[in-house]
């Protein structure tokens, strides 16, 4: 289970003010300045007040409203004020007024990328990911340098939501474009995702044949799991020989290179952002001692007990430090049988979540639920599911749908496991209603309940659907996972029976292939995760 829980609206106010006040010089040169465009004498009289109102990292909505009242005409200056107002309103969960403000700004500043960037955040977290993607694509063409500095979290949330609603094509176009302008150069997972999207786009342009561009792009895909997406799907069969040549038939060579890339990012930056994908990959390979040895000590240094406001967070203060890394480390502890320590870690990190950004606490609520499920503690699963769903309700569409459905899948299983079949029925129906968009939640529910027949039927349906085929083909691949938890002992036999069922195998081989052996099992030969770590002291003067 790899959900992403949380809210991103709190970032929107910061993004709006930074768009006008703190844009890098090169990026600013790509767009016109609304202040310079202000020629109306009445607007010029208000210009200094407007500039002061939008300055700083946490503009006051009352000041912005007062300035707006003095700008009744449709001018660029009013558009600038409305852009910042929209961000502030969005961060206050006033979605309707935020949308009204940003729509006006988009009309008043049609060639300015900054309203489009702010609108991207608003629409991503208010249930309109397709409009958000289109606006981000427009901004990338108007001002690629400015867009290259856009918030990673919003982009990840946006592409995730596009995938949830089945719009993989738009997600690929967006990722491919962001890769072109260099947005994805920050972290290895984004670099790989962009390369995978460009490869799929190239293949769509020439169905059934490997274009030279697609073949060349194979070498730019870093994550072996992204390569696996192509390597088992007959739609990309023309690329299979090049993938095997480059990554090895079992993708082991690419696994080693990707770990080197992730480790290099972390060793250079020594922060939670770079630690998280590296820890996630090590966990994927079940290298739990390495996860704990490298990343558990990082939590010794985090500040606890302080509610950090959003404006201080933008200046570099902690932003719920480790809220995405902690669940990975907690699960590693659980796989080692250290459940109490896992829960204590989550409790410690919870004290760092800012008071104005409790949506990110959903990541920790989900992690608590996962620990309870790993222990097959069904009453505790129900308690944790209630906590999560109650908090998620407060944030509405800010919380991605897949995360909510995964929690409901656990809830449905726990209700059934505790003999509450009637109560499980409506929850089960809700999970199944979105089966075509989030098949993993339905499969999790079926396997947890031991319903092999329903699970087999689900996989066969998803194999027939091009939108969910990549998920289904991944599911049927052999695994080498160790059985370490009570949940593993409950569900592994069900998973194995479903994967090897003759009707499932026949359906899979019609549209893809099942590899003879597991891939990404254990650390690659020769890779030592402890060899290169971030320095805690400056280099010696004689080191260079």
């Amino acid at each position: 289970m790899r959900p992403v829980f949380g809210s991103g609206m709190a970032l929107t106010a910061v993004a709006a003010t930074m768009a006008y006040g703190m844009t890098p010089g090169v990026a600013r040169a790509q767009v016109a300045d609304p202040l310079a465009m202000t020629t109306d004498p009445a607007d010029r009289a208000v210009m200094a007040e407007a500039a002061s109102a939008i300055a700083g990292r946490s503009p006051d909505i009352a000041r912005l409203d007062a300035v707006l009242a003095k700008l009744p005409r449709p001018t660029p200056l009013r558009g600038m004020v409305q852009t910042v107002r929209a961000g502030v309103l969005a961060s206050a969960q006033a979605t309707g007024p935020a949308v009204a403000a940003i729509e006006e700004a988009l009309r008043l500043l049609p060639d300015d990328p900054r309203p489009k960037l702010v609108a991207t955040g608003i629409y991503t977290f208010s249930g309109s990911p397709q409009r958000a993607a289109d606006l981000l694509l427009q901004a990338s063409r108007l001002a690629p340098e400015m867009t290259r500095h856009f918030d990673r979290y919003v982009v990840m949330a946006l592409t995730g939501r596009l995938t949830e609603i089945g719009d993989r094509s738009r997600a690929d176009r967006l990722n491919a474009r962001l890769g072109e302008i260099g947005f994805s150069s920050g972290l290895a997972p984004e670099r790989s995702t962009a390369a995978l999207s460009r490869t799929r786009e190239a293949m769509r342009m020439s169905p059934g044949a490997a274009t030279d561009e697609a073949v060349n792009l194979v070498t730019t895909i870093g994550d072996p799991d992204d390569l696996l997406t192509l390597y088992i799907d007959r739609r990309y069969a023309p690329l299979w020989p090049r993938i095997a040549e480059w990554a090895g038939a079992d993708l082991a060579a690419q696994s080693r290179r990707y770990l080197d890339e992730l480790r290099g990012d972390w060793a250079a930056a020594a922060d939670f952002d770079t630690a998280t994908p590296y820890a996630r990959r090590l966990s994927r390979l079940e290298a739990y001692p390495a996860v704990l040895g490298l990343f558990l000590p990082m939590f010794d240094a985090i500040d606890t007990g302080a509610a950090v406001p959003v404006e201080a967070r933008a200046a570099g203060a902690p932003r719920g430090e480790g809220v995405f890394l902690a669940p990975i480390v907690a699960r590693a502890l659980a796989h080692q049988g250290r459940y109490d320590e896992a829960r204590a870690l989550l409790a410690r990190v919870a004290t760092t979540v800012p008071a104005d950004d409790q949506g990110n606490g959903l990541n920790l609520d989900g992690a608590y639920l996962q620990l309870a499920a790993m222990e097959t503690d069904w009453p505790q699963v129900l308690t944790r599911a209630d906590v999560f769903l109650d908090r998620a309700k407060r944030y509405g569409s800010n919380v991605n749908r897949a995360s909510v459905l995964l929690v409901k899948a656990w809830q449905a299983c726990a209700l059934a496991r505790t003999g509450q079949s009637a109560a499980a029925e409506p929850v089960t129906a809700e999970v199944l209603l979105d089966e075509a968009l989030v098949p993993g939640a339905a499969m999790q529910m079926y396997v947890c309940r031991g319903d092999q027949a329903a699970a087999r039927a689900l996989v066969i349906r998803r194999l027939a659907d091009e939108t969910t085929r990549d998920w289904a083909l991944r599911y049927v691949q052999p695994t080498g996972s160790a059985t370490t938890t009570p949940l593993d002992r409950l569900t592994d036999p069900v998973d194995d029976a479903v994967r090897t069922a003759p009707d499932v195998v026949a359906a899979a081989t019609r549209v893809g292939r099942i590899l003879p052996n597991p891939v990404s099992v254990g650390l690659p030969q020769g890779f030592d995760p402890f060899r290169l770590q971030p320095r805690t002291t400056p280099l010696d003067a004689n080191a260079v």
Side-chain angles (χ1 to χ4, degrees), residues 27-98:
R28 191 179 300 167
Q30 294 181 336
V31 298
D33 183 357
L35 295 177
M37 296 164 63
T38 300
T39 57
D40 184 289
D43 278 14
R44 290 183 69 84
V46 185
M47 191 163 59
E49 184 181 355
S52 174
I54 70 170
R57 298 175 183 272
S58 184
D60 180 67
I61 191 64
R63 287 190 67 194
L64 292 170
D65 288 346
V67 170
L68 191 71
K70 299 176 183 179
L71 298 168
R73 288 169 296 282
T75 61
L77 186 60
R78 181 180 172 96
M80 181 177 74
V81 173
Q82 283 288 53
T83 300
V84 178
R85 280 188 75 248
V88 175
L89 289 165
S91 69
Q93 307 296 319
T95 303

Side-chain angles (χ1 to χ4, degrees), residues 298-333:
M298 292 182 69
F299 294 96
D300 294 338
I302 62 173
D303 294 327
T304 60
V308 184
V310 68
E311 61 270 18
R313 187 162 68 245
R319 187 181 72 186
E321 280 198 309
V323 74
F324 298 110
L325 178 62
I328 300 170
V329 177
R331 287 193 293 273
L333 285 165

Side-chain angles (χ1 to χ4, degrees), residues 228 232 443 455-456 458-460 462-463 469-479 495-501 503-509 511-518:
L228 183 66
I232 57 179
M443 178 58 74
R456 289 202 314 272
L458 170 64
V459 176
I460 292 170
R462 295 305 106 219
L463 285 165
R469 184 173 297 160
D470 57 348
W471 171 84
L473 285 171
R474 283 172 177 275
Y475 177 80
V476 300
Q477 300 305 310
T479 69
D495 278 321
D496 291 341
V498 172
R499 288 190 184 100
T500 57
D503 53 350
V504 170
V505 172
T509 53
V511 296
R513 62 175 174 175
I514 299 174
L515 300 177
N517 298 302

Side-chain angles (χ1 to χ4, degrees), residues 476-502:
V476 300
Q477 300 305 310
T479 69
S481 300
T483 300
T484 59
T485 69
L487 182 64
D488 293 337
R489 289 188 282 275
L490 178 71
T491 60
D492 283 358
V494 181
D495 278 321
D496 291 341
V498 172
R499 288 190 184 100
T500 57

Side-chain angles (χ1 to χ4, degrees), residues 170-183:
R170 191 182 250 103
D172 280 346
R173 286 200 306 274
L174 177 61
N175 281 323
R177 174 58 182 162
L178 293 175
E180 288 173 359
I181 66 173
F183 172 83

